[in-house]
C-alpha cells in the first residue's frame, strides 16, 4: 500500500476509474451509458452524478429526491482503488437504506484492507463537516462490510426489511 490517499474525484484517474466501473465497483453493475459517459466526458459524468434536480429511481420504480453528496476516491499512485459517498443530510429512504456513508472497493482490490481505509478516512472527513454520528448501512449477508463497520466503531442499530 504505497502512497494511498483519499482525494476528491480527479480527471487524471478517469481511465482507472472507468476500468473499475467495468470490472465491478458496486453491488449493482454500472450502466453501460454511465461508463461511456465517464470515459468520453468525465466532467459531464460527475455533473450528472451530483445533479440534485435528477430524482433517484428506486428498484421498484419509485422516484425520490436526490440529496447532496460528496464523492471521495481512494487512490494509490495513478490507480483508483475505491470510493466513498458522504451524504451530510438524509432523506427518509436513506434513513433506512444507504445512510450517510456508502463505500465500495473495485473488485480486483477487495480483501486488501482498502474498505477499512476508505471508511476510516471518510469518517475523519465527516467529522470536519461537523458530523459526529453517522448512519452506515449494509446488507445482512455482507459480512466483510459488517466487520469493517464494527471495526470502525459502528454499533448495530436495527434490521430493516
Amino acid at each position: 500500500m504505497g502512497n494511498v490517499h483519499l482525494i476528491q474525484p480527479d480527471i487524471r484517474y478517469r481511465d482507472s476509474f472507468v476500468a473499475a466501473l467495468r470490472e465491478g465497483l458496486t453491488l449493482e453493475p454500472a450502466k453501460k451509458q454511465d461508463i461511456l459517459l465517464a470515459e468520453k466526458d468525465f466532467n459531464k459524468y460527475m455533473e450528472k452524478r451530483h445533479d440534485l434536480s435528477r430524482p433517484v429511481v428506486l428498484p421498484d420504480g419509485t422516484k425520490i429526491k436526490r440529496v447532496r453528496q460528496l464523492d471521495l476516491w481512494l487512490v494509490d499512485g495513478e490507480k483508483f482503488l475505491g470510493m466513498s459517498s458522504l451524504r451530510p443530510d438524509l432523506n427518509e429512504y436513506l434513513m433506512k437504506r444507504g445512510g450517510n456513508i456508502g463505500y465500495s472497493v473495485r473488485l480486483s482490490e477487495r480483501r486488501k484492507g482498502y474498505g477499512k481505509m476508505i471508511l476510516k478516512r471518510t469518517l475523519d472527513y465527516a467529522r470536519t463537516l461537523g458530523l459526529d454520528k453517522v448512519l452506515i448501512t449494509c446488507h445482512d449477508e455482507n459480512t466483510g462490510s459488517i466487520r469493517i463497520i464494527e471495526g470502525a466503531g459502528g454499533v448495530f442499530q436495527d434490521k430493516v426489511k
Side-chain angles (χ1 to χ4, degrees):
M1 290 192 210
N3 185 22
V4 179
H5 54 285
L6 202 62
I7 63 165
Q8 303 257 340
D10 187 320
I11 195 165
R12 75 181 182 162
Y13 295 94
R14 179 194 61 208
D15 293 345
S16 187
F17 173 70
V18 168
L21 289 176
R22 284 199 167 102
E23 80 181 41
L25 179 59
T26 59
L27 290 176
E28 298 285 321
K31 295 177 183 164
K32 191 172 187 173
Q33 66 263 30
D34 287 337
I35 295 170
L36 292 174
L37 182 59
E39 189 173 44
K40 301 274 189 250
D41 191 340
F42 180 76
N43 291 328
K44 191 170 199 116
Y45 170 82
M46 293 308 292
E47 284 174 22
K48 181 181 174 188
R49 253 186 87 67
H50 296 95
D51 180 357
L52 296 178
S53 69
R54 287 181 45 244
V56 174
V57 181
L58 302 178
D60 68 1
T62 305
K63 293 181 181 180
I64 61 170
K65 188 177 186 305
R66 187 176 299 275
V67 301
R68 178 175 64 102
Q69 78 177 20
L70 304 152
D71 289 338
L72 299 167
W73 287 5
L74 191 72
V75 298
D76 183 3
E78 296 300 312
K79 188 172 190 176
F80 169 89
L81 301 171
M83 67 181 287
S84 64
S85 295
L86 174 58
R87 298 172 285 269
D89 305 303
L90 300 179
N91 58 27
E92 188 177 322
Y93 180 79
L94 289 169
M95 290 294 289
K96 294 179 183 170
R97 298 191 192 290
N100 294 101
I101 298 173
Y103 63 94
S104 56
V105 175
R106 71 187 293 170
L107 192 60
S108 63
E109 299 298 329
R110 292 185 185 158
R111 298 185 180 270
K112 297 179 181 179
Y114 295 127
K116 180 179 178 179
M117 193 179 293
I118 290 171
L119 182 55
K120 181 195 177 312
R121 293 179 185 187
T122 303
L123 286 167
D124 291 342
Y125 192 90
R127 284 185 200 94
T128 70
L129 300 178
L131 295 172
D132 295 323
K133 187 176 180 182
V134 297
L135 175 65
I136 305 170
T137 67
C138 73
H139 294 278
D140 289 349
E141 66 276 1
N142 192 340
T143 56
S145 197
I146 291 168
R147 282 195 299 273
I148 290 169
I149 294 166
E150 289 175 344
V155 177
F156 178 77
Q157 183 176 308
D158 61 17
K159 255 187 191 186
V160 178
K161 289 186 179 196

